[in-house]
Amino acid sequence: MAVIQSQKREAVTNNQLRSSGIIPAVLYGKSLDASISVQLTESDIMHFLRQHNIGARVDIKLDTDTYSTVLKDIARDPVNYKVQHVDFQVITADEKVNTSAVIHFINREDLPADAVFQEMHHELPYTAKPKDFVESIDIDLAGLGIGDEIKLEDLDIAKNPNVDVNLPLDTVIAVISHAKVEVEPEEGEEVEESAEVPVIGEETEK
């Protein structure tokens, strides 16, 4: 379980915090009387995000308290993509939480050279108790060929009775299709031109 140390939010603007290498964050959840504004060091949150994604579990330490949370949202700057704000949902052992699992496709290099791989979903939303969380899903593409497709019903998470997947079972996750090839006309072959349509009012040549 990842652990991040936090401090209570200082009484300054968020821009001032970020300019000092501090990221503002919030903790919220049904078990709290009110949301808690905290701050994290940019180095700590970036280290965490290099290994985890939205939906990951993490313990947030604040003074003498430790909160079990799930990463719910990351606000980023649209220009430089730097983290601007982070949301954590505080969870309890018996509470079902809406979260998501990141999908990783492995062995893409084993697909046929003329195949086009179409990724329809890169994450999977689901609801479960913390003990049943699935942070990521690995889908092995080895042995698949043109015309194959991967559906949600093919994945183990869809067969787990403790996890409620929030998509229809026939949802297509990925498709392997054939690359489209434009056919060039052979040398000397004339391209058929469409017949000219007389313009209304134009005198017909006899």
Side-chain angles (χ1 to χ4, degrees), residues 28-63:
Y28 68 92
K30 294 180 180 178
S31 61
L32 300 178
D33 294 331
S35 60
I36 304 173
S37 297
V38 299
Q39 60 187 45
L40 320 167
T41 64
E42 185 177 21
S43 58
D44 282 349
I45 191 63
M46 293 310 299
H47 176 75
F48 175 75
L49 293 178
R50 279 193 287 269
Q51 305 173 54
H52 303 278
N53 300 281
I54 289 177
R57 291 186 63 181
V58 54
D59 283 347
I60 302 295
K61 285 192 171 186
L62 177 61
D63 297 331

PDB file of all heavy atoms in Angstrom, residues 28-63:
ATOM      1  N   TYR A  28     -12.201  13.663   0.882  1.00  0.00           N
ATOM      2  CA  TYR A  28     -13.640  13.696   1.134  1.00  0.00           C
ATOM      3  C   TYR A  28     -14.164  12.273   1.223  1.00  0.00           C
ATOM      4  O   TYR A  28     -13.510  11.321   0.792  1.00  0.00           O
ATOM      5  CB  TYR A  28     -14.368  14.465   0.024  1.00  0.00           C
ATOM      6  CG  TYR A  28     -14.357  13.768  -1.323  1.00  0.00           C
ATOM      7  CD1 TYR A  28     -15.390  12.904  -1.692  1.00  0.00           C
ATOM      8  CD2 TYR A  28     -13.314  13.967  -2.226  1.00  0.00           C
ATOM      9  CE1 TYR A  28     -15.379  12.258  -2.920  1.00  0.00           C
ATOM     10  CE2 TYR A  28     -13.297  13.331  -3.447  1.00  0.00           C
ATOM     11  CZ  TYR A  28     -14.334  12.476  -3.787  1.00  0.00           C
ATOM     12  OH  TYR A  28     -14.313  11.822  -4.990  1.00  0.00           O
ATOM     13  N   GLY A  29     -15.353  12.115   1.789  1.00  0.00           N
ATOM     14  CA  GLY A  29     -15.935  10.783   1.904  1.00  0.00           C
ATOM     15  C   GLY A  29     -17.080  10.764   2.901  1.00  0.00           C
ATOM     16  O   GLY A  29     -17.232  11.691   3.718  1.00  0.00           O
ATOM     17  N   LYS A  30     -17.894   9.721   2.845  1.00  0.00           N
ATOM     18  CA  LYS A  30     -19.067   9.606   3.720  1.00  0.00           C
ATOM     19  C   LYS A  30     -18.686   9.538   5.193  1.00  0.00           C
ATOM     20  O   LYS A  30     -19.463   9.935   6.069  1.00  0.00           O
ATOM     21  CB  LYS A  30     -19.869   8.363   3.336  1.00  0.00           C
ATOM     22  CG  LYS A  30     -20.502   8.425   1.954  1.00  0.00           C
ATOM     23  CD  LYS A  30     -21.269   7.146   1.653  1.00  0.00           C
ATOM     24  CE  LYS A  30     -21.900   7.196   0.270  1.00  0.00           C
ATOM     25  NZ  LYS A  30     -22.625   5.939  -0.059  1.00  0.00           N
ATOM     26  N   SER A  31     -17.505   9.018   5.468  1.00  0.00           N
ATOM     27  CA  SER A  31     -17.089   8.853   6.866  1.00  0.00           C
ATOM     28  C   SER A  31     -16.589  10.155   7.489  1.00  0.00           C
ATOM     29  O   SER A  31     -16.348  10.215   8.698  1.00  0.00           O
ATOM     30  CB  SER A  31     -15.997   7.793   6.968  1.00  0.00           C
ATOM     31  OG  SER A  31     -14.851   8.169   6.226  1.00  0.00           O
ATOM     32  N   LEU A  32     -16.430  11.203   6.688  1.00  0.00           N
ATOM     33  CA  LEU A  32     -15.946  12.481   7.191  1.00  0.00           C
ATOM     34  C   LEU A  32     -17.109  13.439   7.431  1.00  0.00           C
ATOM     35  O   LEU A  32     -18.082  13.450   6.674  1.00  0.00           O
ATOM     36  CB  LEU A  32     -14.974  13.125   6.189  1.00  0.00           C
ATOM     37  CG  LEU A  32     -13.712  12.339   5.831  1.00  0.00           C
ATOM     38  CD1 LEU A  32     -12.900  13.121   4.801  1.00  0.00           C
ATOM     39  CD2 LEU A  32     -12.870  12.061   7.073  1.00  0.00           C
ATOM     40  N   ASP A  33     -16.992  14.251   8.483  1.00  0.00           N
ATOM     41  CA  ASP A  33     -18.011  15.265   8.737  1.00  0.00           C
ATOM     42  C   ASP A  33     -17.945  16.370   7.688  1.00  0.00           C
ATOM     43  O   ASP A  33     -18.956  16.977   7.334  1.00  0.00           O
ATOM     44  CB  ASP A  33     -17.808  15.869  10.135  1.00  0.00           C
ATOM     45  CG  ASP A  33     -18.065  14.846  11.249  1.00  0.00           C
ATOM     46  OD1 ASP A  33     -18.876  13.929  11.015  1.00  0.00           O
ATOM     47  OD2 ASP A  33     -17.440  14.970  12.311  1.00  0.00           O
ATOM     48  N   ALA A  34     -16.738  16.632   7.195  1.00  0.00           N
ATOM     49  CA  ALA A  34     -16.535  17.644   6.159  1.00  0.00           C
ATOM     50  C   ALA A  34     -15.253  17.312   5.411  1.00  0.00           C
ATOM     51  O   ALA A  34     -14.393  16.586   5.924  1.00  0.00           O
ATOM     52  CB  ALA A  34     -16.455  19.037   6.771  1.00  0.00           C
ATOM     53  N   SER A  35     -15.139  17.814   4.191  1.00  0.00           N
ATOM     54  CA  SER A  35     -13.921  17.566   3.427  1.00  0.00           C
ATOM     55  C   SER A  35     -12.733  18.244   4.107  1.00  0.00           C
ATOM     56  O   SER A  35     -12.890  19.223   4.844  1.00  0.00           O
ATOM     57  CB  SER A  35     -14.077  18.083   1.991  1.00  0.00           C
ATOM     58  OG  SER A  35     -14.331  19.472   1.987  1.00  0.00           O
ATOM     59  N   ILE A  36     -11.535  17.707   3.857  1.00  0.00           N
ATOM     60  CA  ILE A  36     -10.320  18.205   4.487  1.00  0.00           C
ATOM     61  C   ILE A  36      -9.370  18.700   3.399  1.00  0.00           C
ATOM     62  O   ILE A  36      -8.992  17.943   2.502  1.00  0.00           O
ATOM     63  CB  ILE A  36      -9.624  17.107   5.317  1.00  0.00           C
ATOM     64  CG1 ILE A  36     -10.589  16.518   6.354  1.00  0.00           C
ATOM     65  CG2 ILE A  36      -8.375  17.656   5.996  1.00  0.00           C
ATOM     66  CD1 ILE A  36     -10.014  15.319   7.090  1.00  0.00           C
ATOM     67  N   SER A  37      -9.002  19.971   3.484  1.00  0.00           N
ATOM     68  CA  SER A  37      -8.051  20.543   2.532  1.00  0.00           C
ATOM     69  C   SER A  37      -6.628  20.280   3.019  1.00  0.00           C
ATOM     70  O   SER A  37      -6.280  20.643   4.153  1.00  0.00           O
ATOM     71  CB  SER A  37      -8.281  22.054   2.385  1.00  0.00           C
ATOM     72  OG  SER A  37      -9.561  22.312   1.845  1.00  0.00           O
ATOM     73  N   VAL A  38      -5.838  19.655   2.169  1.00  0.00           N
ATOM     74  CA  VAL A  38      -4.463  19.318   2.545  1.00  0.00           C
ATOM     75  C   VAL A  38      -3.512  19.759   1.429  1.00  0.00           C
ATOM     76  O   VAL A  38      -3.941  20.221   0.377  1.00  0.00           O
ATOM     77  CB  VAL A  38      -4.303  17.797   2.811  1.00  0.00           C
ATOM     78  CG1 VAL A  38      -5.189  17.360   3.957  1.00  0.00           C
ATOM     79  CG2 VAL A  38      -4.595  16.994   1.544  1.00  0.00           C
ATOM     80  N   GLN A  39      -2.231  19.595   1.684  1.00  0.00           N
ATOM     81  CA  GLN A  39      -1.217  19.879   0.669  1.00  0.00           C
ATOM     82  C   GLN A  39      -0.169  18.780   0.704  1.00  0.00           C
ATOM     83  O   GLN A  39       0.128  18.204   1.751  1.00  0.00           O
ATOM     84  CB  GLN A  39      -0.582  21.246   0.911  1.00  0.00           C
ATOM     85  CG  GLN A  39       0.115  21.389   2.253  1.00  0.00           C
ATOM     86  CD  GLN A  39       0.570  22.813   2.510  1.00  0.00           C
ATOM     87  OE1 GLN A  39      -0.184  23.765   2.282  1.00  0.00           O
ATOM     88  NE2 GLN A  39       1.801  22.977   2.967  1.00  0.00           N
ATOM     89  N   LEU A  40       0.364  18.481  -0.488  1.00  0.00           N
ATOM     90  CA  LEU A  40       1.365  17.430  -0.648  1.00  0.00           C
ATOM     91  C   LEU A  40       2.566  18.022  -1.363  1.00  0.00           C
ATOM     92  O   LEU A  40       2.435  18.971  -2.141  1.00  0.00           O
ATOM     93  CB  LEU A  40       0.801  16.270  -1.480  1.00  0.00           C
ATOM     94  CG  LEU A  40      -0.654  15.845  -1.249  1.00  0.00           C
ATOM     95  CD1 LEU A  40      -1.103  14.919  -2.363  1.00  0.00           C
ATOM     96  CD2 LEU A  40      -0.782  15.148   0.095  1.00  0.00           C
ATOM     97  N   THR A  41       3.725  17.443  -1.148  1.00  0.00           N
ATOM     98  CA  THR A  41       4.873  17.908  -1.922  1.00  0.00           C
ATOM     99  C   THR A  41       4.740  17.381  -3.351  1.00  0.00           C
ATOM    100  O   THR A  41       4.250  16.267  -3.585  1.00  0.00           O
ATOM    101  CB  THR A  41       6.202  17.419  -1.326  1.00  0.00           C
ATOM    102  OG1 THR A  41       6.267  15.994  -1.406  1.00  0.00           O
ATOM    103  CG2 THR A  41       6.349  17.855   0.124  1.00  0.00           C
ATOM    104  N   GLU A  42       5.146  18.203  -4.304  1.00  0.00           N
ATOM    105  CA  GLU A  42       5.061  17.808  -5.708  1.00  0.00           C
ATOM    106  C   GLU A  42       5.883  16.550  -5.973  1.00  0.00           C
ATOM    107  O   GLU A  42       5.471  15.678  -6.746  1.00  0.00           O
ATOM    108  CB  GLU A  42       5.554  18.942  -6.601  1.00  0.00           C
ATOM    109  CG  GLU A  42       5.388  18.672  -8.089  1.00  0.00           C
ATOM    110  CD  GLU A  42       5.810  19.854  -8.933  1.00  0.00           C
ATOM    111  OE1 GLU A  42       6.572  20.700  -8.437  1.00  0.00           O
ATOM    112  OE2 GLU A  42       5.371  19.934 -10.094  1.00  0.00           O
ATOM    113  N   SER A  43       7.027  16.409  -5.311  1.00  0.00           N
ATOM    114  CA  SER A  43       7.877  15.230  -5.522  1.00  0.00           C
ATOM    115  C   SER A  43       7.186  13.960  -5.053  1.00  0.00           C
ATOM    116  O   SER A  43       7.273  12.922  -5.710  1.00  0.00           O
ATOM    117  CB  SER A  43       9.213  15.400  -4.794  1.00  0.00           C
ATOM    118  OG  SER A  43       9.014  15.607  -3.402  1.00  0.00           O
ATOM    119  N   ASP A  44       6.452  14.040  -3.929  1.00  0.00           N
ATOM    120  CA  ASP A  44       5.744  12.854  -3.417  1.00  0.00           C
ATOM    121  C   ASP A  44       4.629  12.426  -4.359  1.00  0.00           C
ATOM    122  O   ASP A  44       4.483  11.234  -4.671  1.00  0.00           O
ATOM    123  CB  ASP A  44       5.168  13.135  -2.028  1.00  0.00           C
ATOM    124  CG  ASP A  44       6.210  13.064  -0.924  1.00  0.00           C
ATOM    125  OD1 ASP A  44       7.334  12.598  -1.210  1.00  0.00           O
ATOM    126  OD2 ASP A  44       5.908  13.477   0.214  1.00  0.00           O
ATOM    127  N   ILE A  45       3.828  13.391  -4.830  1.00  0.00           N
ATOM    128  CA  ILE A  45       2.698  13.016  -5.682  1.00  0.00           C
ATOM    129  C   ILE A  45       3.170  12.554  -7.047  1.00  0.00           C
ATOM    130  O   ILE A  45       2.607  11.617  -7.630  1.00  0.00           O
ATOM    131  CB  ILE A  45       1.678  14.180  -5.801  1.00  0.00           C
ATOM    132  CG1 ILE A  45       0.381  13.681  -6.465  1.00  0.00           C
ATOM    133  CG2 ILE A  45       2.259  15.347  -6.559  1.00  0.00           C
ATOM    134  CD1 ILE A  45      -0.352  12.629  -5.687  1.00  0.00           C
ATOM    135  N   MET A  46       4.250  13.141  -7.583  1.00  0.00           N
ATOM    136  CA  MET A  46       4.750  12.705  -8.881  1.00  0.00           C
ATOM    137  C   MET A  46       5.358  11.313  -8.784  1.00  0.00           C
ATOM    138  O   MET A  46       5.221  10.500  -9.706  1.00  0.00           O
ATOM    139  CB  MET A  46       5.774  13.700  -9.422  1.00  0.00           C
ATOM    140  CG  MET A  46       5.177  15.059  -9.777  1.00  0.00           C
ATOM    141  SD  MET A  46       3.703  14.945 -10.830  1.00  0.00           S
ATOM    142  CE  MET A  46       4.377  14.140 -12.278  1.00  0.00           C
ATOM    143  N   HIS A  47       6.027  11.011  -7.680  1.00  0.00           N
ATOM    144  CA  HIS A  47       6.562   9.661  -7.471  1.00  0.00           C
ATOM    145  C   HIS A  47       5.421   8.651  -7.436  1.00  0.00           C
ATOM    146  O   HIS A  47       5.513   7.562  -8.030  1.00  0.00           O
ATOM    147  CB  HIS A  47       7.359   9.617  -6.170  1.00  0.00           C
ATOM    148  CG  HIS A  47       7.865   8.245  -5.824  1.00  0.00           C
ATOM    149  ND1 HIS A  47       8.938   7.654  -6.474  1.00  0.00           N
ATOM    150  CD2 HIS A  47       7.432   7.322  -4.902  1.00  0.00           C
ATOM    151  CE1 HIS A  47       9.143   6.453  -5.978  1.00  0.00           C
ATOM    152  NE2 HIS A  47       8.249   6.225  -5.032  1.00  0.00           N
ATOM    153  N   PHE A  48       4.326   9.013  -6.773  1.00  0.00           N
ATOM    154  CA  PHE A  48       3.159   8.128  -6.703  1.00  0.00           C
ATOM    155  C   PHE A  48       2.534   7.929  -8.080  1.00  0.00           C
ATOM    156  O   PHE A  48       2.196   6.804  -8.475  1.00  0.00           O
ATOM    157  CB  PHE A  48       2.133   8.715  -5.732  1.00  0.00           C
ATOM    158  CG  PHE A  48       0.840   7.965  -5.671  1.00  0.00           C
ATOM    159  CD1 PHE A  48       0.750   6.748  -5.010  1.00  0.00           C
ATOM    160  CD2 PHE A  48      -0.300   8.462  -6.284  1.00  0.00           C
ATOM    161  CE1 PHE A  48      -0.445   6.054  -4.953  1.00  0.00           C
ATOM    162  CE2 PHE A  48      -1.494   7.778  -6.236  1.00  0.00           C
ATOM    163  CZ  PHE A  48      -1.572   6.565  -5.568  1.00  0.00           C
ATOM    164  N   LEU A  49       2.395   9.006  -8.862  1.00  0.00           N
ATOM    165  CA  LEU A  49       1.723   8.924 -10.160  1.00  0.00           C
ATOM    166  C   LEU A  49       2.558   8.208 -11.214  1.00  0.00           C
ATOM    167  O   LEU A  49       2.016   7.741 -12.210  1.00  0.00           O
ATOM    168  CB  LEU A  49       1.357  10.327 -10.653  1.00  0.00           C
ATOM    169  CG  LEU A  49       0.297  11.065  -9.831  1.00  0.00           C
ATOM    170  CD1 LEU A  49       0.061  12.450 -10.394  1.00  0.00           C
ATOM    171  CD2 LEU A  49      -1.001  10.268  -9.798  1.00  0.00           C
ATOM    172  N   ARG A  50       3.860   8.116 -10.990  1.00  0.00           N
ATOM    173  CA  ARG A  50       4.688   7.342 -11.927  1.00  0.00           C
ATOM    174  C   ARG A  50       4.393   5.854 -11.841  1.00  0.00           C
ATOM    175  O   ARG A  50       4.668   5.105 -12.777  1.00  0.00           O
ATOM    176  CB  ARG A  50       6.171   7.609 -11.668  1.00  0.00           C
ATOM    177  CG  ARG A  50       6.687   8.900 -12.297  1.00  0.00           C
ATOM    178  CD  ARG A  50       8.198   8.969 -12.283  1.00  0.00           C
ATOM    179  NE  ARG A  50       8.709   9.211 -10.942  1.00  0.00           N
ATOM    180  CZ  ARG A  50       8.936  10.414 -10.430  1.00  0.00           C
ATOM    181  NH1 ARG A  50       8.691  11.492 -11.158  1.00  0.00           N
ATOM    182  NH2 ARG A  50       9.417  10.550  -9.219  1.00  0.00           N
ATOM    183  N   GLN A  51       3.808   5.418 -10.751  1.00  0.00           N
ATOM    184  CA  GLN A  51       3.544   3.999 -10.540  1.00  0.00           C
ATOM    185  C   GLN A  51       2.059   3.665 -10.438  1.00  0.00           C
ATOM    186  O   GLN A  51       1.687   2.490 -10.467  1.00  0.00           O
ATOM    187  CB  GLN A  51       4.240   3.531  -9.250  1.00  0.00           C
ATOM    188  CG  GLN A  51       5.735   3.810  -9.221  1.00  0.00           C
ATOM    189  CD  GLN A  51       6.341   3.485  -7.873  1.00  0.00           C
ATOM    190  OE1 GLN A  51       6.196   2.382  -7.363  1.00  0.00           O
ATOM    191  NE2 GLN A  51       7.023   4.454  -7.281  1.00  0.00           N
ATOM    192  N   HIS A  52       1.218   4.691 -10.300  1.00  0.00           N
ATOM    193  CA  HIS A  52      -0.205   4.450 -10.075  1.00  0.00           C
ATOM    194  C   HIS A  52      -1.047   5.382 -10.931  1.00  0.00           C
ATOM    195  O   HIS A  52      -0.559   6.393 -11.443  1.00  0.00           O
ATOM    196  CB  HIS A  52      -0.553   4.656  -8.598  1.00  0.00           C
ATOM    197  CG  HIS A  52       0.233   3.794  -7.659  1.00  0.00           C
ATOM    198  ND1 HIS A  52      -0.099   2.485  -7.391  1.00  0.00           N
ATOM    199  CD2 HIS A  52       1.357   4.058  -6.943  1.00  0.00           C
ATOM    200  CE1 HIS A  52       0.774   1.977  -6.532  1.00  0.00           C
ATOM    201  NE2 HIS A  52       1.666   2.904  -6.244  1.00  0.00           N
ATOM    202  N   ASN A  53      -2.330   5.027 -11.045  1.00  0.00           N
ATOM    203  CA  ASN A  53      -3.277   5.804 -11.827  1.00  0.00           C
ATOM    204  C   ASN A  53      -4.514   6.094 -10.993  1.00  0.00           C
ATOM    205  O   ASN A  53      -4.616   5.667  -9.836  1.00  0.00           O
ATOM    206  CB  ASN A  53      -3.689   5.031 -13.091  1.00  0.00           C
ATOM    207  CG  ASN A  53      -2.519   4.720 -13.992  1.00  0.00           C
ATOM    208  OD1 ASN A  53      -2.059   5.566 -14.739  1.00  0.00           O
ATOM    209  ND2 ASN A  53      -2.022   3.487 -13.940  1.00  0.00           N
ATOM    210  N   ILE A  54      -5.451   6.825 -11.593  1.00  0.00           N
ATOM    211  CA  ILE A  54      -6.732   7.052 -10.933  1.00  0.00           C
ATOM    212  C   ILE A  54      -7.366   5.702 -10.604  1.00  0.00           C
ATOM    213  O   ILE A  54      -7.373   4.784 -11.422  1.00  0.00           O
ATOM    214  CB  ILE A  54      -7.662   7.886 -11.832  1.00  0.00           C
ATOM    215  CG1 ILE A  54      -7.154   9.328 -11.905  1.00  0.00           C
ATOM    216  CG2 ILE A  54      -9.095   7.861 -11.322  1.00  0.00           C
ATOM    217  CD1 ILE A  54      -7.953  10.218 -12.805  1.00  0.00           C
ATOM    218  N   GLY A  55      -7.900   5.581  -9.386  1.00  0.00           N
ATOM    219  CA  GLY A  55      -8.460   4.315  -8.931  1.00  0.00           C
ATOM    220  C   GLY A  55      -7.537   3.565  -7.986  1.00  0.00           C
ATOM    221  O   GLY A  55      -7.944   2.579  -7.379  1.00  0.00           O
ATOM    222  N   ALA A  56      -6.303   4.054  -7.847  1.00  0.00           N
ATOM    223  CA  ALA A  56      -5.339   3.380  -6.976  1.00  0.00           C
ATOM    224  C   ALA A  56      -5.610   3.699  -5.506  1.00  0.00           C
ATOM    225  O   ALA A  56      -6.034   4.799  -5.155  1.00  0.00           O
ATOM    226  CB  ALA A  56      -3.919   3.790  -7.341  1.00  0.00           C
ATOM    227  N   ARG A  57      -5.330   2.735  -4.655  1.00  0.00           N
ATOM    228  CA  ARG A  57      -5.464   2.953  -3.213  1.00  0.00           C
ATOM    229  C   ARG A  57      -4.193   3.590  -2.670  1.00  0.00           C
ATOM    230  O   ARG A  57      -3.087   3.283  -3.105  1.00  0.00           O
ATOM    231  CB  ARG A  57      -5.729   1.625  -2.496  1.00  0.00           C
ATOM    232  CG  ARG A  57      -7.088   1.018  -2.788  1.00  0.00           C
ATOM    233  CD  ARG A  57      -7.331  -0.212  -1.927  1.00  0.00           C
ATOM    234  NE  ARG A  57      -7.349   0.127  -0.499  1.00  0.00           N
ATOM    235  CZ  ARG A  57      -7.515  -0.772   0.470  1.00  0.00           C
ATOM    236  NH1 ARG A  57      -7.647  -2.052   0.177  1.00  0.00           N
ATOM    237  NH2 ARG A  57      -7.528  -0.399   1.731  1.00  0.00           N
ATOM    238  N   VAL A  58      -4.360   4.462  -1.683  1.00  0.00           N
ATOM    239  CA  VAL A  58      -3.216   5.125  -1.066  1.00  0.00           C
ATOM    240  C   VAL A  58      -3.618   5.600   0.334  1.00  0.00           C
ATOM    241  O   VAL A  58      -4.728   6.086   0.538  1.00  0.00           O
ATOM    242  CB  VAL A  58      -2.719   6.314  -1.929  1.00  0.00           C
ATOM    243  CG1 VAL A  58      -3.837   7.283  -2.247  1.00  0.00           C
ATOM    244  CG2 VAL A  58      -1.566   7.030  -1.245  1.00  0.00           C
ATOM    245  N   ASP A  59      -2.720   5.428   1.291  1.00  0.00           N
ATOM    246  CA  ASP A  59      -2.938   5.950   2.643  1.00  0.00           C
ATOM    247  C   ASP A  59      -2.382   7.364   2.713  1.00  0.00           C
ATOM    248  O   ASP A  59      -1.221   7.603   2.364  1.00  0.00           O
ATOM    249  CB  ASP A  59      -2.239   5.072   3.682  1.00  0.00           C
ATOM    250  CG  ASP A  59      -2.987   3.778   3.965  1.00  0.00           C
ATOM    251  OD1 ASP A  59      -4.155   3.676   3.547  1.00  0.00           O
ATOM    252  OD2 ASP A  59      -2.403   2.883   4.597  1.00  0.00           O
ATOM    253  N   ILE A  60      -3.214   8.304   3.149  1.00  0.00           N
ATOM    254  CA  ILE A  60      -2.791   9.689   3.326  1.00  0.00           C
ATOM    255  C   ILE A  60      -2.600   9.946   4.817  1.00  0.00           C
ATOM    256  O   ILE A  60      -3.542   9.827   5.608  1.00  0.00           O
ATOM    257  CB  ILE A  60      -3.825  10.678   2.747  1.00  0.00           C
ATOM    258  CG1 ILE A  60      -4.069  10.399   1.257  1.00  0.00           C
ATOM    259  CG2 ILE A  60      -3.352  12.107   2.970  1.00  0.00           C
ATOM    260  CD1 ILE A  60      -2.876  10.624   0.378  1.00  0.00           C
ATOM    261  N   LYS A  61      -1.377  10.290   5.207  1.00  0.00           N
ATOM    262  CA  LYS A  61      -1.084  10.605   6.598  1.00  0.00           C
ATOM    263  C   LYS A  61      -1.238  12.106   6.823  1.00  0.00           C
ATOM    264  O   LYS A  61      -0.724  12.914   6.055  1.00  0.00           O
ATOM    265  CB  LYS A  61       0.332  10.166   6.960  1.00  0.00           C
ATOM    266  CG  LYS A  61       0.480   8.660   7.131  1.00  0.00           C
ATOM    267  CD  LYS A  61       1.811   8.308   7.772  1.00  0.00           C
ATOM    268  CE  LYS A  61       1.858   6.826   8.139  1.00  0.00           C
ATOM    269  NZ  LYS A  61       3.088   6.492   8.894  1.00  0.00           N
ATOM    270  N   LEU A  62      -1.947  12.460   7.890  1.00  0.00           N
ATOM    271  CA  LEU A  62      -2.149  13.857   8.254  1.00  0.00           C
ATOM    272  C   LEU A  62      -2.030  13.970   9.767  1.00  0.00           C
ATOM    273  O   LEU A  62      -2.883  13.446  10.506  1.00  0.00           O
ATOM    274  CB  LEU A  62      -3.525  14.347   7.784  1.00  0.00           C
ATOM    275  CG  LEU A  62      -3.892  15.782   8.157  1.00  0.00           C
ATOM    276  CD1 LEU A  62      -2.913  16.777   7.539  1.00  0.00           C
ATOM    277  CD2 LEU A  62      -5.321  16.102   7.724  1.00  0.00           C
ATOM    278  N   ASP A  63      -0.975  14.605  10.228  1.00  0.00           N
ATOM    279  CA  ASP A  63      -0.676  14.688  11.659  1.00  0.00           C
ATOM    280  C   ASP A  63      -0.582  13.266  12.223  1.00  0.00           C
ATOM    281  O   ASP A  63       0.206  12.477  11.737  1.00  0.00           O
ATOM    282  CB  ASP A  63      -1.730  15.529  12.390  1.00  0.00           C
ATOM    283  CG  ASP A  63      -1.737  16.977  11.908  1.00  0.00           C
ATOM    284  OD1 ASP A  63      -0.681  17.464  11.484  1.00  0.00           O
ATOM    285  OD2 ASP A  63      -2.818  17.595  11.932  1.00  0.00           O
TER     286      ASP A  63
END
